[in-house]
Amino acid sequence: MSAPTERRGVSRGALIIGALCLAALFALLLVAVQRSDRPDRQALPSALIGRPAPATVLPLLHAPEGTLDLATLRGRPYVLNVWGSWCPECRVEHPTVSALARSGRVRVIGYALKDDPADSLRWLQQFGNPYEAVVSDVEGKASLDWGIYGAPETFLVDAGGIVRWKHVGPLDQAIVERELLPALAAAERAR
């Protein structure tokens, strides 16, 4: 009588599970590669789209004794551009933001994020101030309500105070023409 043989190696079930995991990983990589050439690959979803803009009252950069309640901007659409003097990409998008503001198509409000007000003022003096008003959120507390990841980010808020569009990263003219202006036109038609 012989002793039972000892099993060696990997069981058949473990091999099947491992093969399924590899197949799933391959499928995820394939989807990621296919999405990598899309123009919206940097788009981050925002829970605010289609919802009221957060109630936000922040000090005015140029008059820190005063505040701006963003709810008072209702009645006309506005673009809220989040920037900081510490942000190199903000310098890249600044000519686009300035051109948008000069066009008069929509009000552009600046949101200086986690920036020393003296640095913000110096930056605007150096590069120009395209904003109708600039609010300062030195500690970034209000940015949590807006779901701001960092700077630059840009929101479009319609006349009723509803967030209609968000872009993460620097704006360029192509994004303005392809996304922002159509979103603005749609918001204006919906009034």
Side-chain angles (χ1 to χ4, degrees), residues 59-97:
L60 288 163
L61 179 65
H62 292 87
E65 67 282 352
T67 59
L68 177 62
D69 180 349
L70 295 179
T72 64
L73 298 175
R74 286 186 181 175
R76 290 176 33 215
Y78 68 92
V79 166
L80 183 70
N81 178 242
V82 181
W83 64 279
S85 66
W86 46 266
C87 161
E89 294 297 317
C90 297
R91 187 173 173 182
V92 171
E93 74 166 6
H94 191 68
T96 302
V97 173

Side-chain angles (χ1 to χ4, degrees), residues 51-53 71 73-77 157-164 187 191:
R51 295 177 176 237
L73 298 175
R74 286 186 181 175
R76 290 176 33 215
V157 180
D158 72 11
I162 305 297
V163 177
R164 294 297 177 191
R191 285 183 74 183

